[in-house]
Amino acid sequence: MTKSKASAQAAHPLTLIPGPVEFTDEVLAAMATPSQSHVSPQFVEVFGDALALLRQLFFNTDKRAQTFAIAGAGTLGWDFVSANLIEPGEDALVLHTGYFADSLADCIATYGGKPTQLKAPIGDIVTLDAIETALKEKKFKVVTITHVDTSTGVLSDIKSIAALVRAVSPETLVIVDGVCSVGVEEIRFDDWDLDLVLTAPQKAIGVPAGLSIFIASGRALDVFRARKAPPTSYYASFAKWLPIMQNYEAKKPSYFSTPPVQNIHALLASLKQILAVPLADRFAAHARMSDRIKATIASYGLKQVAVREGYQANGMTAVYLPDGVALPDLLPRIASRGIVLAGGLHKEIATKYFRIGHMGVSVTDEDREDFDKALAAIKESLAEAGYTI
Amino acid sequence: MTKSKASAQAAHPLTLIPGPVEFTDEVLAAMATPSQSHVSPQFVEVFGDALALLRQLFFNTDKRAQTFAIAGAGTLGWDFVSANLIEPGEDALVLHTGYFADSLADCIATYGGKPTQLKAPIGDIVTLDAIETALKEKKFKVVTITHVDTSTGVLSDIKSIAALVRAVSPETLVIVDGVCSVGVEEIRFDDWDLDLVLTAPQKAIGVPAGLSIFIASGRALDVFRARKAPPTSYYASFAKWLPIMQNYEAKKPSYFSTPPVQNIHALLASLKQILAVPLADRFAAHARMSDRIKATIASYGLKQVAVREGYQANGMTAVYLPDGVALPDLLPRIASRGIVLAGGLHKEIATKYFRIGHMGVSVTDEDREDFDKALAAIKESLAEAGYTI
């Protein structure tokens, strides 16, 4: 638990959305690191340490796997998957638990892959039975899972899905979109035999947006090395970046494209804070806060978008509006109380719900009381908007 | 000219390489902006202003053109060009004045374009005659020019080349890699009838690495809209980003992929500082400093890699080592004096030269005396290494 102290940050609205989240003073100070050459010994040390610590976030010790941190965004991770692990004409099974699977399928198709979507009803998961049936119908190069769909707050059981894939279709790569899960949900990369987990820094990793972060397994890298043709992206190419990441982690300077020096400093600063306590404690703290928020929301008579018990994200909650309350009315009322929440994102229900992000320092530093303030602001704003709890 | 004052930055080695350059306190403070939602009114205002001010850097007023700032790197700009403006099988004429044209040709080929390189001898430019001959031999979809090749310090005359292209092959798009030129060399986007200029923030724009920045002309966007097939990248797709940039510039929130909020704040902070004085004064200050550095280097008996008078960059100088002095000996001696310079980058001569970057606040704030220190450090280190001036 981070000890509370006077923050160096100017008073600002609390950003309690499913990313970007609030950042610690230390992370923001690292963002302001004075200029450094990207090949200086000082920066090589920082980048190497960040790549090594990233492994810990995934409980990874198998060195055949490689962590990556590249200037970009979570979205860019999809290009890495689509351009390196799927060759044109190959099939991908895309498990759909919200908005982000549609985009990922679009990305795969852009690079010539053939996505097959397996869609859950809004707010629900894709069942293991449905996945097993699909896997038996066709040979898929990859299966993609959105661990937490940021548009719905649905949490998928990647451990069980990975085990099923390995049993039914052992060569199929298991790809996890962990944008809204890495740092808040348990992900045992080696033990669960995953092949690639991609994420972004501005959620539970607690670092400003600007990076594409992922880990690729030895199996995934071997599949890449066995490609019939080169990768179909230049910037999002394993061929370009794998040696760079290997070199930096070995504390050797290397150049393909200038890395975002300050963002990498911030990544290292946050990873050091995160890993200063056991990850199990971090996950438990997030689960407790999530339970509290979900229980409070229920006590207000509101329903979650994610309907199935046990398959609800620990880092965010998507909440249906009560009848008669509109988003453009409610969110500004909450904002006037210094709390920024997010509107809906899933196209079919976008105007009908709002989203609370509960990740990072707002959760782990309870002395900040961010969610006492947020839950009070929601309650007061609902009352103002005419909804009686 | 920025007034000198005590810097908030901790003492650190001066980074005087051709990017990243030294940053102002205001830019670094903006990098540490507390968290903001990427769709908050506050951030929308900042992003919109940054996109509008970017136009001024290119003397652009034609609103059919659009500026872009996207999480990534200068390199990613090549993917945008290759995936949106060149269709598979189409020809690209790549003017080669150093290392970066090889990489750009590689990028174009990755997306199915057919690059034809027109190579200058190391340190020299591609002549207008050679370009005219090439343009008459074949129909090229694009011509690419590295405005300043960071590996050699060769400055190309993009105005004359653009005029030639427009005269000989009017439909051919003129693409400028301005990574090491935007903010230090004059670029009149509208007047010179350019089609796309791409850059990165960590050079003369004076912002930490982490963005792909570019401006595309109305003609380029029309060519994109007339594509036979969709763009061949997902993240580097005009189709995805053009509406986002248009919306932010119109001060409307919009979502495709989370923008790097802090880097955009830093971009706006730097653009405000840059545009607080006439650009002509800024360019003149850089030209004066460049002349002084090049004259001093010559007075030490050293030769530039860029051999042709009038075609030498104003933001960097590439300098051949004297006989008997080795890079791994010289650069650490200079570094021990608190000055970080860069080694060679052009593969054929990499061990034979070093590079000085002279861009941004180190140039415009003369009270910092960064180059008095740097030139003294070079002189002393050469003497220590056994070279008598």
Side-chain angles (χ1 to χ4, degrees), chain A residues 73-123:
Chain A
T75 308
L76 181 64
W78 299 343
D79 288 70
F80 272 102
V81 169
S82 305
N84 293 282
L85 298 181
I86 307 168
E87 298 203 51
E90 290 180 339
D91 284 293
L93 183 63
V94 176
L95 309 187
H96 183 292
T97 51
Y99 173 88
F100 287 93
D102 288 328
S103 307
L104 176 50
D106 185 7
C107 180
I108 291 169
T110 297
Y111 289 97
K114 291 162 65 187
T116 299
Q117 290 211 47
L118 211 50
K119 292 202 181 193
I122 292 177

Side-chain angles (χ1 to χ4, degrees), chain B residues 300-330:
Chain B
Y300 294 171
L302 304 183
K303 286 192 165 49
Q304 285 184 61
V305 174
V307 292
R308 197 185 285 242
E309 188 97 18
Y311 298 88
Q312 294 162 331
N314 289 295
M316 64 166 291
T317 305
V319 184
Y320 279 115
L321 292 163
D323 284 344
V325 176
L327 264 188
D329 180 45
L330 184 66

Side-chain angles (χ1 to χ4, degrees), chain B residues 107-284:
Chain B
C107 181
I108 291 169
T110 297
Y111 288 99
K114 291 162 63 188
T116 299
Q117 290 213 46
L118 212 49
K119 291 202 182 196
I122 291 176
D124 209 347
I125 54 163
V126 183
T127 64
L128 290 172
D129 281 353
I131 299 168
E132 183 164 357
T133 304
L135 288 173
K136 286 176 173 167
E137 276 172 11
K138 200 190 278 185
K139 174 86 173 177
F140 290 100
K141 183 70 173 291
V142 307
V143 170
T144 73
I145 317 163
T146 312
H147 195 184
V148 168
D149 195 289
T150 316
S151 75
T152 58
V154 169
L155 172 68
S156 290
D157 176 3
I158 57 172
K159 180 183 178 183
S160 299
I161 296 170
L164 173 66
V165 172
R166 212 52 78 210
V168 176
S169 181
E171 291 174 16
T172 298
L173 299 176
V174 177
I175 311 295
V176 175
D177 177 339
V179 167
C180 200
S181 75
V182 173
V184 53
E185 311 288 353
E186 184 178 44
I187 302 176
R188 294 192 170 269
F189 189 78
D190 296 1
D191 293 352
W192 298 353
D193 208 6
L194 306 174
D195 290 302
L196 189 139
V197 181
L198 64 93
T199 191
Q202 72 274 12
K203 310 212 180 203
I205 294 179
V207 172
L211 293 170
S212 169
I213 295 171
F214 56 95
I215 181 168
S217 70
R219 185 195 295 116
L221 295 174
D222 284 343
V223 164
F224 162 72
R225 292 182 186 109
R227 281 182 70 93
K228 294 183 286 288
T232 48
S233 170
Y234 184 76
Y235 187 72
S237 161
F238 282 0
K240 302 298 183 193
W241 285 112
L242 179 60
I244 305 295
M245 297 297 135
Q246 290 169 331
N247 283 339
Y248 271 103
E249 198 173 349
K251 307 287 173 81
K252 289 185 283 193
S254 196
Y255 178 73
F256 164 59
S257 165
T258 306
V261 170
Q262 280 64 20
N263 304 64
I264 298 290
H265 271 272
L267 175 61
L268 178 61
S270 195
L271 289 173
K272 283 181 175 172
Q273 292 186 314
I274 289 171
L275 295 166
V277 295
L279 280 173
D281 293 357
R282 178 180 179 82
F283 299 151

Side-chain angles (χ1 to χ4, degrees), chain A residues 21 35 75 79 106 235 240 257, chain B residues 21 35 75 79 106 240 257:
Chain A
V21 303
S35 191
T75 308
D79 288 70
D106 185 7
Y235 188 71
K240 303 296 182 192
S257 167
Chain B
V21 303
S35 191
T75 307
D79 288 70
D106 185 7
K240 302 298 183 193
S257 165

Side-chain angles (χ1 to χ4, degrees), chain A residues 40-370:
Chain A
S40 65
Q42 293 80 5
F43 179 65
V44 170
E45 189 75 19
V46 166
F47 203 169
D49 286 348
L51 292 169
L53 288 189
L54 266 179
R55 293 181 185 272
Q56 294 185 31
L57 213 49
F58 298 102
F59 300 92
N60 162 256
T61 55
D62 181 347
K63 288 298 175 71
R64 287 172 299 180
Q66 181 61 50
T67 47
F68 295 70
I70 293 166
T75 308
L76 181 64
W78 299 343
D79 288 70
F80 272 102
V81 169
S82 305
N84 293 282
L85 298 181
I86 307 168
E87 298 203 51
E90 290 180 339
D91 284 293
L93 183 63
V94 176
L95 309 187
H96 183 292
T97 51
Y99 173 88
F100 287 93
D102 288 328
S103 307
L104 176 50
D106 185 7
C107 180
I108 291 169
T110 297
Y111 289 97
K114 291 162 65 187
T116 299
Q117 290 211 47
L118 211 50
K119 292 202 181 193
I122 292 177
D124 208 348
I125 55 162
V126 183
T127 63
L128 290 173
D129 280 352
I131 300 168
E132 181 164 358
T133 303
L135 287 172
K136 286 179 173 166
E137 275 171 10
K138 200 190 278 186
K139 173 87 175 177
F140 290 100
K141 184 70 172 290
V142 306
V143 169
T144 74
I145 316 163
T146 312
H147 195 184
V148 168
D149 195 289
T150 317
S151 75
T152 58
V154 169
L155 171 69
S156 289
D157 175 4
I158 58 173
K159 180 183 177 183
S160 299
I161 296 171
L164 172 66
V165 173
R166 213 52 77 210
V168 177
S169 180
E171 291 174 15
T172 298
L173 299 176
V174 177
I175 311 293
V176 176
D177 178 338
V179 167
C180 199
S181 75
V182 173
V184 52
E185 311 288 353
E186 183 178 46
I187 302 176
R188 295 192 170 269
F189 189 77
D190 296 0
D191 292 352
W192 298 354
D193 208 6
L194 306 175
D195 289 302
L196 189 139
V197 181
L198 64 92
T199 191
Q202 73 273 12
K203 308 211 181 206
I205 294 179
V207 172
L211 293 170
S212 169
I213 295 170
F214 55 93
I215 181 168
S217 70
R219 185 196 293 115
L221 294 174
D222 284 343
V223 163
F224 163 73
R225 292 182 187 108
R227 280 182 70 93
K228 294 185 285 288
T232 48
S233 169
Y234 184 75
Y235 188 71
S237 162
F238 282 0
K240 303 296 182 192
W241 285 112
L242 179 60
I244 305 294
M245 297 298 136
Q246 289 169 331
N247 282 339
Y248 272 103
E249 198 173 350
K251 305 288 173 82
K252 289 185 283 193
S254 196
Y255 178 72
F256 164 59
S257 167
T258 307
V261 170
Q262 280 65 19
N263 303 62
I264 298 291
H265 271 272
L267 176 61
L268 178 60
S270 196
L271 289 172
K272 282 181 175 172
Q273 292 186 315
I274 289 171
L275 296 166
V277 295
L279 280 173
D281 293 357
R282 179 180 179 82
F283 299 150
H286 280 84
R288 277 196 307 275
M289 181 64 82
S290 180
D291 288 348
R292 180 187 154 201
I293 289 169
K294 288 170 171 62
T296 307
I297 288 298
S299 77
Y300 295 171
L302 304 182
K303 286 192 164 52
Q304 286 185 59
V305 174
V307 292
R308 196 185 286 243
E309 188 97 21
Y311 298 88
Q312 295 162 330
N314 289 296
M316 65 166 289
T317 305
V319 184
Y320 279 114
L321 292 162
D323 284 345
V325 176
L327 263 188
D329 180 45
L330 183 67
L331 289 187
R333 291 186 193 278
I334 295 172
S336 74
R337 292 171 165 83
I339 304 292
V340 179
L341 301 184
L345 188 59
H346 194 296
K347 281 165 194 151
E348 293 173 43
I349 53 170
T351 60
K352 298 182 180 167
Y353 72 110
F354 65 96
R355 294 173 300 147
I356 311 166
H358 29 91
M359 291 175 265
V361 67
S362 291
V363 172
T364 56
D365 183 354
E366 291 179 24
D367 295 338
R368 291 173 58 116
E369 302 180 341
D370 285 359

